[in-house]
Structure formats: structure tokens, C-alpha cells
Amino acid sequence: MKDETLIQKTISFVQEILKEAEGGHDWFHIQRVFLNAQYLAKHENVNGLVVSLSALLHDIADSKFNNGDETIGPKTASDFLSSLELDQKAIEHVVKIIENISFKNSLEKKERFNSKELQVVQDADRLDAIGAIGIARAFNYGGFKNRALYNPEIPPAVNQTKEEYKNSEAPTLNHFYEKLLLLKNKMNTKTGLKLAEKRHQFMLSYLNQFYDEWNGDFE
Ligand code: ADP
Ligand code: NI
């Protein structure tokens, strides 16, 4: 099967799965990550098909929407790719990327799988978690979970473990300090870092304005 056909079939599969997804983790998130990944891939020496398929399949069964089960996504992707004519090595690489892409797993201090392709897809996903879109996604998720926007009496938790991060029910503003503002320094690729810097600055100025408005600071 030609790469183009494999990608088209994967797009249709993912669109169908994500029909009812929360607004920050829907098909349009995947489309943005796919575009980001293609852009980053141009500047890195990577297998473009593995990058494209991993970007498209990386959130088909996010564990936070599946009672914490981290195995459904990789299994679903593996079953789907096995139904296409794709070599076993490429399938295994895509599955490894999906297993290792998430932020919460990066909080665990253990040896993890790594590859240039993983680095590109992870950066592509992280770029969509910051900047204007990142802010929109965070508040959408907070609303979905009925969280407060901000509560000055609940300070952000720094250096969270994976379990603490997963179980947090803190206000959405805390998520900026617990994840979003940490991403810039975790970027893997030079091109990704450059894009992240602009989005990071935008979040900092957003937060400044947020506090001014919150505190009635009118000057
Ligand atoms: P990963 O999938 O990389 O492990 P998460 O699942 O923690 O990362 O987050 C993915 C996106 O979901 C975040 O970038 C953010 O938009 C949203 N999100 C997750 N947790 C929160 C939270 N506690 N508050 C607000 N948004 C959140
Ligand atoms: Ni994602």
C-alpha cells in the first residue's frame, strides 16, 4: 500500500474514533499535531511514515478518558496497523511511540524508549499544549472536569510524581505551573524549541493579564 493510502485510511479511522471526544483531544487536536509533526520532520532526519502514523494515532484512547488504562491506545493502534499492509518493524515503532509520548510518563524516573521519530511527535504534541491553543485546551479540559479557573488559596504543586499529577483536581491555572510552563525546557528538537519559545512567552503575558484582572489592578 502506498504511504498516501495508509495515511488516508488512518485519518478516516481516527476521525471515526474521536467523533465524541472532548474539545481539546478531538480530531482537530490530531490534525494540528499531524501538521506540527510534518513541519518538524522536514528539519530532522526521520522516517516520515512512522512520524505521520504516530501523530495520527497518538491519542486514540487516552488513559485519562479510559479509567487510567494505558494499554488500550497502543493495542488499538497495533490491531489497526496490522490490518493494513505495513511491515512489522514500523508497526512496533509506532506502538512504542504511542506508549512513550505522554507527559505524565516523563515524570517517572525510569529508562524509556527513545527515537528521533518519538522526539518529533512528542514535540508536535507538546506544541499543541502551549500557546493560545494550549490555553484554550486547558480551560476546556478544566470545564469538562468542572474545575475552578483559579483559587489563590490552592498553590500549584511542583515536582509532582506521575500519580500525584494524574490524581490532581486543582484549579486550571495550576496546570500552567504543573505542566504547560515546563514544556519549553523539555523540547527535544531545535525547531520545536524555537516554536515553543514564542508560545511560552504568550502564556506568560496571558498569566500577567489574568492576575491583573483578577486583582482589580487597573493601572
Ligand atoms: P499527556 O497526554 O502528554 O500525558 P496530559 O494528558 O496530562 O498530557 O494532558 C494533555 C492535555 O490535556 C493538556 O495539555 C491540557 O490541555 C489538558 N489537561 C490535562 N490535565 C489537565 C488539567 N489538570 N487541567 C487543565 N488541562 C489539563
Ligand atoms: Ni495529544
Side-chain angles (χ1 to χ4, degrees), residues 69-86:
D69 190 331
E70 294 180 19
T71 63
I72 304 174
K75 170 90 173 66
T76 309
S78 171
D79 289 349
F80 168 71
L81 292 173
S82 301
S83 74
L84 306 176
E85 294 158 36
L86 184 66

Side-chain angles (χ1 to χ4, degrees), residues 41-109:
K42 277 198 265 174
H43 302 263
E44 305 289 328
N45 188 12
V46 284
N47 178 325
L49 182 63
V50 167
V51 165
S52 293
L53 296 177
S54 309
L56 290 170
L57 292 164
H58 84 275
D59 265 339
I60 45 175
D62 189 320
S63 61
K64 62 183 163 315
F65 303 118
N66 286 282
N67 295 321
D69 190 331
E70 294 180 19
T71 63
I72 304 174
K75 170 90 173 66
T76 309
S78 171
D79 289 349
F80 168 71
L81 292 173
S82 301
S83 74
L84 306 176
E85 294 158 36
L86 184 66
D87 69 272
Q88 194 56 32
K89 240 179 110 194
I91 297 180
E92 281 168 20
H93 194 171
V94 172
V95 169
K96 281 260 170 282
I97 291 175
I98 299 172
E99 281 171 345
N100 287 281
I101 190 174
S102 94
F103 174 77
K104 60 185 170 328
N105 288 341
S106 78
L107 298 173
E108 284 179 312
K109 300 255 174 302

Side-chain angles (χ1 to χ4, degrees), residues 24-25 29-30 33 55 58-59 62 64 101 125-126 128 137:
H25 290 83
H29 164 61
I30 304 305
V33 173
H58 84 275
D59 265 339
D62 189 320
K64 62 183 163 315
I101 190 174
D125 192 31
R126 286 174 172 172
D128 206 54
R137 291 180 71 216

Side-chain angles (χ1 to χ4, degrees), residues 22 24-25 29 58-59 62-65 101-106 122 125-126 128-130 133-143 145 147 165-166 168-176 178-180 183:
E22 173 266 319
H25 290 83
H29 164 61
H58 84 275
D59 265 339
D62 189 320
S63 61
K64 62 183 163 315
F65 303 118
I101 190 174
S102 94
F103 174 77
K104 60 185 170 328
N105 288 341
S106 78
Q122 192 170 53
D125 192 31
R126 286 174 172 172
D128 206 54
I130 59 178
I133 300 267
I135 295 170
R137 291 180 71 216
F139 284 106
N140 195 71
Y141 186 79
K145 291 281 194 180
R147 307 245 168 95
Y165 176 82
K166 270 178 20 185
S168 166
E169 296 194 344
T172 301
L173 248 259
N174 294 24
H175 193 63
F176 284 74
E178 291 163 2
K179 174 181 179 189
L180 308 187
L183 292 178

